[in-house]
Amino acid sequence: MVAHQGVLVNGEVISGRISTMTRELLNVGRRLSGELSQPLSALLMGGEQAEIAKEVIALGSDRVYLIRPSSQGSHPEIHVAMLTELVKRVGPSIILFGHTDMGRDVAPRLAVRLGATVTLDCTDLQIDRETKKLLQSKPVYGGNAIAVWVSKPEGLQIVTLRPKAVMPAELDLSRNGEIVEMDITINESSMKGQLLETARQEVQGAKLEDAKVVIAGGGGIGGREGFKMLEQLAAVLGGRVGVTRVPGDEGWMPTGLEIGQTGRIVTPNLYVAVGISGASQHMAGCSGSKYIVSINRDPEANIFKESDFGIVGDYREVLPSFIEKCKKLVM
Amino acid sequence: MNIIVCVKQVLDPEIPLGRLKVDPKAQQVVAPEGICPIINPYDERAVELALRLKEKQGGKITILSLGHPSWVAIVKHALSMGADEGVLIADTAFEGSDSFGIAHVLSKAIQKIGNYHLILCGRQSADWEEGLVGTIIAEKLSMPLVTLAEDVEVIEQGLKVKQVTLGGHQVFAVPVPAVVTVSQEVGRPRLPSGWGIINASRKQVPVWDAKSIEIDLSQVGVRAARRELIKLSVPDRTRKCEIIHGETMAKAGARLADRLREAGIL
Amino acid sequence: MDFELTEEQRMFRQMAREFAERELISAGKEYDQSGEYPYEFFKKMAPLGLLGILIPQQYGGLGLGPLTWVLINEQLAWGSMSIATITQTGMLPGSIILDAGNEEQKKKYLPPLCRGEKIYSMAAAEPNAGSDGANIETKAASDGDSWVLNGNKVFVTNGNVADMIIVLAQTEKGKGGKGLVLVAVDKETPGIFRAPIKGETGLRCGDIAQVRLTDCRVPRENAINEVGLGLKFAFGGITNMRICISSQCVGLAQRCIDICVKYAKERQQFKKPIGSFQLVQELIAESVVETEAARWLTYHAAYRREKGLSVTREASIAKLFSTEMAVRTTVRAIKVHGGYGCFEDYTVERLNREALITLAPGGTSEVHKMTIGRQMLDIDALSR
C-alpha cells in the first residue's frame, strides 16, 4: 500500500463532457494540492475518455487515471469496488467527490470500505497550515450553523463538495500531465442487488440548475392555482419555476422542483422568492444566487434578511403589475 | 416482512431562524426555551414507509433508537403511529460517538433483535446532517444498501426500491435483508390515531446499555470518533435588503421592476 | 396535586395540535366563508378516534376521560372553534346514551357515531323555556307501546343534519323535573319537522334547527332510561358540554394571543413595531393571564368530572369565566389590529363572532352567576 499522498478528484462525465461539478472539484483540488505540495490527480470512469482526460489536465490535474467501465453500468457498488482497488494502488490522502447522485452514494460506502473519514456536502475546504490536515466545513442544523470538522487519525480523508460552492476551474492548455490507463477487474458476482432502471425527468429547455432566472414559490402561494402567476413571470423573464418543500409536500407542484439543501442547488443571476419564509434548509439551495428578490406578507420573514430587494405584501397584488412592467422592460 | 426502523431525536428544524443559538465554546446548538425536541423528520418518514409496507405485507416493525433515556418519547410516537415494539439504547459510554460509533452500536442492537428483512433509516439527521449511519450499518452487516428511497415494493426476489436522484429517479432490486435510507419524497407521515396513542402509552420500551449488547467500547464514544469538531459558528449574512414601497401593492410591484432595471438586473 | 400531564395526555395533545395545524387552520376560514357544513371532517376525524373520545372502546370510541377530551378540544378549537364545536357536539347525545341508555341502545347508536356515519343531536330548549329548562312544554304522551311527542324545540345544534335527535319531553304537566323523559327520535319518523335557523353570527358553517313535533310516534324502547331521570342525565351531558365549551374557549383565546403576538411584531407604526407600545403589550398580557386562568379552571373541572367528584360548581365557574374571557380576549385582539380588526380578512374578526355564540349554550352567564349565588347564599334568585 502506497503511503497517503496526493489529492484525487472523482471526475464525472455527462453527455460526453466533463461535468461542471468536476471542474469545481478540480479548482479546489488544485488549491489543496498546491498547499500540500502534493500532486493532483483525477479519475475518469468510462471508455473513450482520452480527449476528456486531456481537458482534465488542462483544468489542473497532474495525472488522470482512466478506468474501463464494467458492464453493469453505474451501480454504486461497482464504483466502490473499482475505487477501492484504485485507492489501494494510488494511495491518495484526500479524495474529492461532488455531492451528486453518485458522489453522495459512493463516498460513504468507500469510506467505510477503506477505513477513511468522510464528510458530506462541504461548502468549504481548507488546509490547516500547521497540521496540514483538511478543514472540512459544512452547514448543519438546516444551515443555521456551520461546522468545521478535522480528521483525527492520519490517513485517507474523503469529502463530497456541494455543487456551486466554488467556481469551476479554468482551462490552461499549456499544462502538461500524465494519462494512466488502469486495468481494474472486480468480482461482480458478489454485488448485492441490481440497478433496474434510470429515469430522467422530462425538462423542457434549461434545467433548473442552469437557469439564469428562477422564480420560486413556497407555502405562501397557497395552492396549485397561484403558481400560474409564477409561471407567467418565468415565461416573461426566460426563467424556470422552482419550489420549497411545502408545495411539494402538499402536491401543488412536483417534488423534483424542490430547491434546498436536500433538493436542487441553484445559482441564477436572479432569484425571485414568492411566499417563501426563508428557512435555512431552503436558503441552502439558493443563497448562491447573484441577486435575490423576495415578496412576502410577513415583514419579519427571514427571507428579507437574505435578499437584495423585497416587497412586503401579498404576491397576488404585487405580481400582476410586476409582470406587466417586466414585459415592457424586456421588450 | 419484519422491519427495524432507526430513529433519533433532534431539535425542530422548523424553528424560526435566529431562535437557534450557537454556543461556540461548548460547540453546541442551543434551542430556545419551551421548544420541544422532535423525532428526526426523515426518520419519521422512514416509520411511515415501514407502516405502508406492513399494511401491504404484514410483519413486525421494531423502532430502535440510540440516545438519551428521554428519547423514549420519540419511540412512543413511532409506536403510536403503528409500529409494534421499541427499543432504546442509552449508555454514557456512547456519548460523543461519531457516525461510525453510532452505526456500530445500532448494528449490534440490530443483530440482537434479529429476525429482520429490512432496516430503514432516515437519509440524514436534521441536526448534524451527516447522512452516514445507514450506509455504515449496511457495510458492517454486509447487507445490500439503497439510499434516498422514495418508495419500496416487495417483489419475489426481495425489494424494488425507487431512489430519488437530482435528475429523476433510479430503481434498484435488492435481496433481503437490506438497508434502505429514506428521503422526504416518501411523503407526509401519518398522524397517530387515538387508539395508536393508547396502545403505545401502555407499551414498555426496554432500555439497553453497553453491556447488554456486548459492545466493544473501543469503537464508541469520543475517543473512537474519527473526526473532531473544531468550530461551530453562525454563518455571516452579507445581503442588505432594500424594501420597495408603493401607495398600492400594484405600484410597488411596478416600482420593483424599475428598480431591478436600474440595478442592471433586468 | 400533580399538575403534570401523563405521557398519554401529552401524546394526545400533540396529535390534536398537529391535526389542527394540518387541517383546521385553513379549513376554519374556508368553512366560515362558505357556510357549508363540514361533513368532510367527520370522515377525517373518525379514523383518529376524535369523534368518540369519551365513548368506551367496546362501542368504537377511545374510552378516554374528560381531562384528555379537554386537552384535545383545546387544540382543535385553536385550529377552528366552529369545526371543533360541530364535531364534538355529538358527545352530548353520546354521553346521554352512554350514561343513561341500555345495552341495546348503546350498541345501536354509539358505534356509528364514533365512525362518523351518523350525527346525533339533543333537543332541549324551547321558545319559552331556555334558561328555564325544567319547564319545557313538549309533551310525551304514553300510548300503548309508544310515546307520542308534541312540541317545539329551538337551538337544536346539528338538528337538521342529525340522523337521530334526543328530545327532552314532559310526561306529566306540572311534575317538573320528575316528569321529564329523554326520547330518541330517528329522522325518518313521521311527525318530526325540522327547519334551519339561519343567521347565527359565529358558527356560520354550523347547523342550528328548530324542530316541531306533531303527533310524533316513537317506540317505547326509544326512551333513554326511566321517566324522572331525564333531567339528571340531560344535566350530566350538559355538564360535559360546559366543560367542553370552556376548553374550546381556551383554545380560541390562545389562538387570538398567538395571532396578536405575531401581528404586534409585524405591524409597524411610527417606525416601530406596535408591540413596542406599552398599551399594546397590556392588551396581550391581559389576554394571556385570563386564558391561563381559564385553562386551569377548565382542567380542574375536567379532573373532578373524571374522578367522579361533584363538579356542578366547578363546571359552572369554568364555563362562565372561559366564555366571558374569550369574548374579552377577542375584543382585545381586534383592538390590537386597529382598524383592520373588524374586517373579514383578519382572523380575529371571525374569532370574536365565534366567541360570542358561546355565551348562551350550556347556560347563560347570568344563569351561572345565579346558580353560584344560590349555592353561596342559599337564596334562589332563579325561580323567584
Coordinates of all heavy atoms in Angstrom, one line a residue, chain C residues 62-129:
Chain C
L62 N -62.7 5.9 22.1 CA -61.4 5.8 22.7 C -61.4 5.5 24.2 O -60.4 5.1 24.8 CB -60.6 7.1 22.5 CG -60.2 7.5 21.0 CD1 -59.5 8.8 21.0 CD2 -59.3 6.4 20.5
G63 N -62.6 5.7 24.8 CA -62.7 5.4 26.2 C -61.8 6.3 27.1 O -61.4 5.9 28.2
L64 N -61.6 7.5 26.7 CA -60.8 8.4 27.5 C -61.6 9.3 28.4 O -62.8 9.3 28.3 CB -60.0 9.4 26.6 CG -59.0 8.7 25.6 CD1 -58.5 9.7 24.6 CD2 -57.8 8.1 26.4
G65 N -61.0 9.9 29.4 CA -61.7 10.7 30.4 C -61.8 12.1 29.9 O -61.2 12.6 29.0
P66 N -62.6 12.9 30.7 CA -62.9 14.3 30.3 C -61.6 15.1 30.3 O -61.5 16.1 29.5 CB -63.8 14.8 31.5 CG -64.4 13.6 32.0 CD -63.5 12.5 31.8
L67 N -60.6 14.8 31.1 CA -59.4 15.6 31.1 C -58.6 15.5 29.7 O -58.2 16.5 29.1 CB -58.4 15.2 32.2 CG -57.3 16.1 32.5 CD1 -57.7 17.6 32.6 CD2 -56.6 15.7 33.9
T68 N -58.5 14.3 29.2 CA -57.9 14.2 27.9 C -58.8 14.8 26.8 O -58.3 15.4 25.9 CB -57.6 12.7 27.5 OG1 -57.0 12.1 28.7 CG2 -56.7 12.6 26.4
W69 N -60.1 14.7 26.9 CA -61.0 15.3 26.0 C -60.8 16.8 25.9 O -60.8 17.4 24.8 CB -62.4 14.9 26.4 CG -63.5 15.3 25.5 CD1 -63.6 15.2 24.1 CD2 -64.8 15.9 25.9 NE1 -64.8 15.7 23.7 CE2 -65.5 16.1 24.7 CE3 -65.4 16.2 27.1 CZ2 -66.8 16.6 24.7 CZ3 -66.6 16.8 27.1 CH2 -67.4 16.9 25.9
V70 N -60.6 17.3 27.1 CA -60.4 18.8 27.2 C -59.1 19.2 26.5 O -59.1 20.2 25.8 CB -60.5 19.2 28.7 CG1 -59.6 20.3 29.0 CG2 -61.9 19.5 29.1
L71 N -58.1 18.4 26.7 CA -56.8 18.7 26.1 C -56.9 18.7 24.6 O -56.3 19.6 23.9 CB -55.7 17.7 26.6 CG -55.3 17.8 28.0 CD1 -54.5 16.6 28.4 CD2 -54.5 19.1 28.3
I72 N -57.6 17.7 24.1 CA -57.8 17.6 22.7 C -58.6 18.8 22.2 O -58.3 19.4 21.2 CB -58.5 16.2 22.3 CG1 -57.5 15.1 22.7 CG2 -58.8 16.2 20.9 CD1 -58.2 13.7 22.6
N73 N -59.7 19.0 22.8 CA -60.6 20.1 22.4 C -60.0 21.4 22.3 O -60.2 22.2 21.4 CB -61.8 20.2 23.4 CG -63.0 19.6 22.8 OD1 -63.5 20.0 21.8 ND2 -63.5 18.6 23.5
E74 N -59.1 21.7 23.3 CA -58.4 23.0 23.3 C -57.6 23.2 22.0 O -57.6 24.2 21.4 CB -57.5 23.0 24.5 CG -56.9 24.4 24.8 CD -55.9 24.3 26.0 OE1 -56.2 23.6 26.9 OE2 -54.9 25.0 25.9
Q75 N -56.9 22.1 21.6 CA -56.1 22.2 20.4 C -57.0 22.3 19.1 O -56.8 23.0 18.2 CB -55.2 21.0 20.2 CG -54.2 20.9 21.4 CD -53.4 22.2 21.6 OE1 -53.0 22.9 20.6 NE2 -53.2 22.6 22.8
L76 N -58.1 21.5 19.1 CA -59.0 21.5 17.9 C -59.6 22.9 17.8 O -59.6 23.4 16.7 CB -60.1 20.5 18.1 CG -59.7 19.0 18.1 CD1 -60.9 18.1 18.3 CD2 -59.0 18.6 16.8
A77 N -60.0 23.5 18.9 CA -60.6 24.8 18.8 C -59.6 25.9 18.5 O -59.9 26.9 17.9 CB -61.3 25.1 20.2
W78 N -58.4 25.7 18.9 CA -57.3 26.6 18.5 C -57.2 26.6 17.0 O -57.0 27.6 16.4 CB -56.0 26.1 19.1 CG -54.8 26.8 18.7 CD1 -54.2 27.9 19.3 CD2 -53.9 26.6 17.6 NE1 -53.1 28.4 18.7 CE2 -52.9 27.6 17.6 CE3 -53.9 25.6 16.6 CZ2 -51.8 27.6 16.7 CZ3 -52.8 25.6 15.7 CH2 -51.8 26.6 15.7
G79 N -57.5 25.5 16.3 CA -57.5 25.4 14.9 C -58.7 26.0 14.3 O -58.7 26.9 13.5
S80 N -59.9 25.5 14.8 CA -61.1 26.1 14.3 C -62.2 25.8 15.4 O -62.6 24.7 15.6 CB -61.6 25.5 13.0 OG -63.0 25.7 12.8
M81 N -62.7 26.9 16.0 CA -63.7 26.8 17.0 C -64.9 26.1 16.4 O -65.5 25.2 17.0 CB -64.0 28.2 17.5 CG -65.1 28.2 18.6 SD -64.5 27.6 20.1 CE -65.8 28.1 21.2
S82 N -65.3 26.5 15.3 CA -66.6 26.1 14.7 C -66.5 24.6 14.4 O -67.4 23.8 14.8 CB -66.9 26.8 13.4 OG -67.1 28.1 13.6
I83 N -65.4 24.1 13.8 CA -65.4 22.7 13.4 C -65.2 21.9 14.6 O -65.8 20.8 14.7 CB -64.3 22.5 12.4 CG1 -64.6 23.2 11.1 CG2 -64.1 21.0 12.1 CD1 -63.5 23.2 10.0
A84 N -64.5 22.4 15.6 CA -64.4 21.6 16.9 C -65.8 21.5 17.5 O -66.1 20.4 17.9 CB -63.5 22.4 17.9
T85 N -66.5 22.6 17.6 CA -67.9 22.5 18.2 C -68.7 21.5 17.5 O -69.4 20.7 18.1 CB -68.5 23.9 18.1 OG1 -67.7 24.9 18.8 CG2 -69.9 23.9 18.8
I86 N -68.8 21.7 16.1 CA -69.7 20.8 15.3 C -69.4 19.4 15.5 O -70.3 18.5 15.6 CB -69.6 21.2 13.9 CG1 -70.2 22.6 13.7 CG2 -70.2 20.2 13.0 CD1 -69.9 23.3 12.3
T87 N -68.1 19.0 15.5 CA -67.7 17.6 15.6 C -67.8 17.0 17.0 O -68.0 15.8 17.2 CB -66.3 17.3 15.0 OG1 -65.4 18.2 15.6 CG2 -66.3 17.6 13.5
Q88 N -67.6 17.9 18.0 CA -67.6 17.4 19.4 C -69.0 17.4 20.0 O -69.2 16.9 21.1 CB -66.6 18.2 20.2 CG -65.2 17.9 19.8 CD -64.8 16.5 19.8 OE1 -65.0 15.7 20.7 NE2 -64.3 16.0 18.6
T89 N -69.9 18.1 19.4 CA -71.2 18.3 20.0 C -72.0 17.0 20.1 O -72.9 16.9 20.9 CB -72.0 19.4 19.2 OG1 -72.5 20.4 20.1 CG2 -73.1 18.8 18.3
G90 N -71.6 16.0 19.3 CA -72.2 14.7 19.4 C -72.0 14.1 20.7 O -72.6 13.1 21.1
M91 N -71.0 14.6 21.5 CA -70.7 14.0 22.8 C -71.9 14.2 23.7 O -72.0 13.5 24.7 CB -69.5 14.6 23.4 CG -68.2 13.9 22.9 SD -68.1 12.2 23.3 CE -68.4 11.5 21.7
L92 N -72.7 15.2 23.5 CA -73.9 15.5 24.3 C -74.9 14.3 24.2 O -75.1 13.6 25.2 CB -74.5 16.9 24.1 CG -75.7 17.2 24.8 CD1 -75.6 17.0 26.3 CD2 -76.1 18.7 24.5
P93 N -75.5 14.1 23.1 CA -76.3 12.9 23.0 C -75.6 11.7 23.2 O -76.1 10.7 23.8 CB -76.9 13.0 21.5 CG -76.0 14.0 20.8 CD -75.4 14.9 21.8
G94 N -74.3 11.6 22.8 CA -73.5 10.4 23.0 C -73.3 10.1 24.5 O -73.5 8.9 24.9
S95 N -73.0 11.1 25.3 CA -72.8 10.7 26.7 C -74.1 10.5 27.4 O -74.2 9.7 28.4 CB -72.0 11.8 27.5 OG -72.2 13.1 27.1
I96 N -75.2 11.0 26.9 CA -76.5 10.7 27.5 C -76.8 9.2 27.2 O -77.3 8.5 28.2 CB -77.6 11.6 26.9 CG1 -77.5 13.0 27.4 CG2 -79.0 11.0 27.2 CD1 -78.4 14.0 26.8
I97 N -76.6 8.8 26.0 CA -76.8 7.3 25.7 C -75.9 6.5 26.6 O -76.3 5.4 27.1 CB -76.6 7.1 24.2 CG1 -77.7 7.8 23.4 CG2 -76.7 5.6 23.9 CD1 -77.4 7.9 21.9
L98 N -74.7 6.9 26.7 CA -73.7 6.2 27.4 C -74.1 6.1 28.9 O -74.0 5.0 29.5 CB -72.3 6.9 27.3 CG -71.1 6.1 27.8 CD1 -71.0 4.8 27.1 CD2 -69.9 7.0 27.6
D99 N -74.5 7.2 29.5 CA -74.8 7.2 30.9 C -76.1 6.6 31.2 O -76.3 6.0 32.3 CB -74.7 8.6 31.5 CG -73.4 9.2 31.4 OD1 -72.4 8.4 31.4 OD2 -73.2 10.5 31.5
A100 N -77.1 6.8 30.3 CA -78.5 6.5 30.7 C -79.1 5.4 29.9 O -80.0 4.8 30.3 CB -79.3 7.8 30.5
G101 N -78.5 5.1 28.7 CA -79.1 4.1 27.8 C -78.9 2.7 28.3 O -78.0 2.4 29.1
N102 N -79.7 1.8 27.7 CA -79.5 0.4 28.0 C -78.5 -0.2 27.0 O -78.1 0.5 26.0 CB -80.8 -0.4 28.0 CG -81.5 -0.2 26.7 OD1 -80.9 -0.3 25.6 ND2 -82.9 -0.1 26.7
E103 N -78.1 -1.4 27.2 CA -77.1 -2.0 26.3 C -77.4 -2.0 24.8 O -76.6 -1.7 24.0 CB -76.8 -3.4 26.8 CG -75.5 -4.1 26.2 CD -74.3 -3.3 26.5 OE1 -74.2 -2.7 27.6 OE2 -73.4 -3.3 25.7
E104 N -78.7 -2.3 24.6 CA -79.2 -2.3 23.2 C -79.0 -0.9 22.5 O -78.6 -0.8 21.4 CB -80.6 -2.7 23.2 CG -81.0 -3.6 22.0 CD -82.5 -3.9 22.2 OE1 -82.8 -4.7 23.1 OE2 -83.3 -3.4 21.4
Q105 N -79.4 0.1 23.3 CA -79.3 1.5 22.7 C -77.8 1.9 22.5 O -77.5 2.5 21.5 CB -79.9 2.5 23.7 CG -81.5 2.4 23.7 CD -82.1 3.1 24.9 OE1 -81.5 3.2 25.9 NE2 -83.3 3.5 24.7
K106 N -77.0 1.5 23.4 CA -75.5 1.8 23.3 C -75.0 1.1 22.0 O -74.3 1.7 21.2 CB -74.7 1.3 24.5 CG -75.0 2.1 25.8 CD -74.2 1.6 26.9 CE -74.8 2.0 28.2 NZ -74.1 1.5 29.4
K107 N -75.3 -0.1 21.9 CA -74.8 -0.9 20.7 C -75.4 -0.3 19.4 O -74.7 -0.4 18.4 CB -75.2 -2.4 20.8 CG -74.4 -3.1 21.8 CD -74.3 -4.6 21.4 CE -73.5 -5.4 22.5 NZ -74.3 -6.2 23.4
K108 N -76.6 0.2 19.5 CA -77.2 0.7 18.3 C -76.7 2.0 17.9 O -76.4 2.3 16.7 CB -78.7 0.8 18.5 CG -79.5 1.3 17.3 CD -81.0 1.4 17.5 CE -81.7 2.0 16.3 NZ -83.1 2.3 16.6
Y109 N -76.5 2.9 18.8 CA -76.3 4.3 18.5 C -74.8 4.7 18.5 O -74.3 5.5 17.8 CB -77.0 5.2 19.4 CG -78.5 5.2 19.2 CD1 -79.4 4.7 20.2 CD2 -79.1 5.6 18.0 CE1 -80.8 4.7 20.0 CE2 -80.4 5.6 17.8 CZ -81.3 5.1 18.8 OH -82.6 5.1 18.6
L110 N -74.0 4.1 19.5 CA -72.7 4.6 19.7 C -71.7 4.3 18.6 O -70.9 5.2 18.2 CB -72.2 4.2 21.1 CG -73.0 4.8 22.3 CD1 -72.4 4.3 23.6 CD2 -73.0 6.3 22.2
P111 N -71.6 3.1 18.1 CA -70.6 2.8 17.1 C -70.7 3.7 15.8 O -69.7 4.2 15.4 CB -70.8 1.3 16.8 CG -71.4 0.7 18.0 CD -72.3 1.8 18.6
P112 N -71.9 3.9 15.3 CA -72.0 4.8 14.1 C -71.6 6.2 14.4 O -71.0 6.9 13.5 CB -73.5 4.7 13.7 CG -74.0 3.5 14.3 CD -73.3 3.3 15.6
L113 N -71.8 6.6 15.6 CA -71.4 8.0 16.0 C -69.8 8.1 15.9 O -69.3 9.0 15.4 CB -71.8 8.3 17.4 CG -71.3 9.6 18.1 CD1 -71.8 10.8 17.4 CD2 -71.6 9.6 19.6
C114 N -69.2 7.1 16.5 CA -67.7 7.0 16.5 C -67.1 6.9 15.1 O -66.1 7.5 14.9 CB -67.2 5.9 17.4 SG -67.7 6.0 19.1
R115 N -67.8 6.2 14.3 CA -67.3 6.0 12.9 C -67.6 7.2 12.0 O -67.2 7.2 10.9 CB -67.9 4.8 12.3 CG -67.4 3.5 12.9 CD -67.7 2.3 12.0 NE -69.2 2.1 11.9 CZ -69.8 1.2 12.7 NH1 -69.2 0.4 13.5 NH2 -71.2 1.1 12.5
G116 N -68.4 8.2 12.5 CA -68.7 9.3 11.7 C -69.8 9.1 10.7 O -70.0 9.8 9.8
E117 N -70.5 7.9 10.9 CA -71.5 7.5 9.9 C -72.8 8.2 10.3 O -73.7 8.4 9.4 CB -71.7 6.0 9.9 CG -70.5 5.3 9.3 CD -70.5 3.8 9.6 OE1 -71.5 3.3 10.2 OE2 -69.5 3.2 9.3
K118 N -73.0 8.5 11.6 CA -74.3 9.1 11.9 C -74.0 10.3 12.8 O -73.0 10.4 13.6 CB -75.1 8.1 12.7 CG -75.5 7.0 11.9 CD -77.0 6.7 12.0 CE -77.4 5.4 11.3 NZ -77.9 5.4 10.0
I119 N -74.9 11.3 12.7 CA -74.8 12.5 13.5 C -76.0 12.6 14.4 O -77.1 12.3 14.0 CB -74.7 13.8 12.6 CG1 -73.5 13.7 11.7 CG2 -74.7 15.1 13.5 CD1 -73.4 14.8 10.7
Y120 N -75.8 12.9 15.7 CA -76.9 12.9 16.6 C -77.0 14.3 17.2 O -76.1 15.1 17.2 CB -76.7 11.9 17.8 CG -76.6 10.5 17.3 CD1 -75.7 9.6 18.0 CD2 -77.2 10.0 16.2 CE1 -75.5 8.3 17.6 CE2 -77.1 8.7 15.8 CZ -76.2 7.9 16.5 OH -76.0 6.6 16.1
S121 N -78.2 14.6 17.8 CA -78.5 15.9 18.3 C -79.3 15.8 19.5 O -79.8 14.8 19.8 CB -79.3 16.6 17.2 OG -79.2 18.0 17.3
M122 N -79.3 16.9 20.3 CA -80.1 16.9 21.5 C -81.0 18.1 21.5 O -80.6 19.2 21.3 CB -79.2 17.0 22.7 CG -79.8 17.5 24.0 SD -80.4 16.2 25.0 CE -80.6 17.1 26.5
A123 N -82.3 17.9 21.6 CA -83.3 19.0 21.6 C -83.9 19.2 23.0 O -84.6 18.3 23.5 CB -84.4 18.6 20.6
A124 N -83.5 20.3 23.6 CA -84.0 20.6 24.9 C -84.7 21.9 25.0 O -85.8 22.0 25.3 CB -82.8 20.5 25.9
A125 N -84.0 23.0 24.6 CA -84.5 24.3 24.7 C -85.8 24.5 23.8 O -85.9 23.9 22.8 CB -83.5 25.3 24.3
E126 N -86.6 25.4 24.3 CA -87.9 25.7 23.6 C -88.0 27.2 23.6 O -87.4 27.9 24.3 CB -89.1 25.0 24.3 CG -89.0 23.5 24.3 CD -90.1 22.9 25.1 OE1 -91.0 23.6 25.6 OE2 -90.2 21.7 25.2
P127 N -89.0 27.7 22.7 CA -89.1 29.1 22.6 C -89.4 29.8 24.0 O -88.9 30.8 24.3 CB -90.3 29.3 21.7 CG -90.3 28.0 20.9 CD -89.8 27.0 21.7
N128 N -90.2 29.0 24.8 CA -90.5 29.6 26.1 C -89.7 29.0 27.3 O -89.9 29.3 28.4 CB -92.0 29.4 26.5 CG -92.9 30.3 25.6 OD1 -92.4 31.4 25.2 ND2 -94.0 29.8 25.3
A129 N -88.8 28.1 26.9 CA -88.0 27.5 28.0 C -86.6 27.4 27.6 O -86.2 26.4 27.0 CB -88.6 26.1 28.4

